[in-house]
Amino acid sequence: MCDFNTLTHEEKLLHHQKLLNCANAFGGKNFFLQLLEAIRENKPHPLIAGNSEFNIELGTITWNKVIFNDKLQLLIKARVHEGKQNNLLPDKEAKNYKKILNVIRTLKPIVFNVKPANKEDGIGFFFQPFDIIDENTTKLNPLFDALFFCSVDTVKKVLNYEAKA
């Protein structure tokens, strides 16, 4: 998802609509982009927070399981593989196959809940980190990728995407 220019028109429209719906549920594009900027500025990465939450003035992201740094680092490496192979899982013969599979099994049940601070700004939304296509194919949920990994400029591009007639 982070390499938006390589996506087909249909994929771009799908990601645009999904992100726009989530942004609106959080209070609009500007609030959503401010959330992303706060996530990017936070060190260490918010996903490894011991209390499984990330708070800013505009709202909160919570999740139901602690994520350890080693799992996050493996996930970041797997993202690079997904960009090349269109699959988070490497070939079964690859030496890191079991490690990546364990990361997916560990993180798959996690549910992220994003809520704005003020109820009048929106209702919020929730999502899981992966889209399991079949037993051999797993992809990062584009929303998870956008929230925690893609550049803010890329997410702006997705949010502002318009179909060319």
Side-chain angles (χ1 to χ4, degrees):
M1 210 275 337
C2 291
D3 199 1
F4 190 65
N5 294 330
T6 64
L7 300 176
T8 66
H9 171 68
E10 290 76 23
E11 290 171 320
K12 287 178 180 178
L13 275 177
L14 181 70
H15 293 325
H16 164 75
Q17 198 56 52
K18 184 182 273 191
L19 280 184
L20 191 60
N21 289 342
C22 291
N24 289 334
F26 190 71
K29 287 182 190 179
N30 287 337
F31 281 10
F32 189 72
L33 291 170
Q34 286 178 46
L35 173 67
L36 297 186
E37 287 169 357
I39 289 170
R40 302 303 178 275
E41 291 169 2
N42 195 63
K43 302 291 182 227
H45 198 286
L47 285 175
I48 60 173
N51 61 355
S52 302
E53 70 177 39
F54 178 73
N55 291 305
I56 63 169
E57 196 175 306
L58 298 171
T60 305
I61 303 173
T62 57
W63 53 98
N64 56 336
K65 187 175 184 182
V66 174
I67 300 171
F68 294 102
N69 192 43
D70 62 326
K71 301 288 186 215
L72 177 63
Q73 296 310 315
L74 281 168
L75 179 61
I76 289 170
K77 288 178 185 168
R79 281 184 70 246
V80 173
H81 180 267
E82 181 188 25
K84 296 174 186 167
Q85 307 294 321
N86 210 18
N87 186 2
L88 267 178
L89 283 171
D91 295 328
K92 287 188 177 180
E93 297 80 38
K95 66 179 184 178
N96 65 341
Y97 175 79
K98 280 196 168 183
K99 285 182 179 179
I100 301 299
L101 184 61
N102 285 337
V103 167
I104 292 170
R105 285 181 178 158
T106 301
L107 303 182
K108 169 75 177 101
I110 296 176
V111 176
F112 292 86
N113 193 350
V114 182
K115 289 190 175 193
N118 298 322
K119 296 260 188 250
E120 57 270 7
D121 288 335
I123 57 171
F125 57 93
F126 61 92
F127 62 94
Q128 288 186 286
F130 305 113
D131 293 334
I132 308 292
I133 310 303
D134 58 42
E135 75 177 51
N136 297 316
T137 311
T138 299
K139 295 183 179 188
L140 273 183
N141 179 330
L143 183 56
F144 179 70
D145 206 15
L147 262 174
F148 292 107
F149 302 110
C150 295
S151 75
V152 175
D153 285 341
T154 298
V155 176
K156 277 183 196 174
K157 231 188 257 185
V158 176
L159 286 171
N160 295 325
Y161 182 74
E162 290 183 20
K164 292 178 175 67

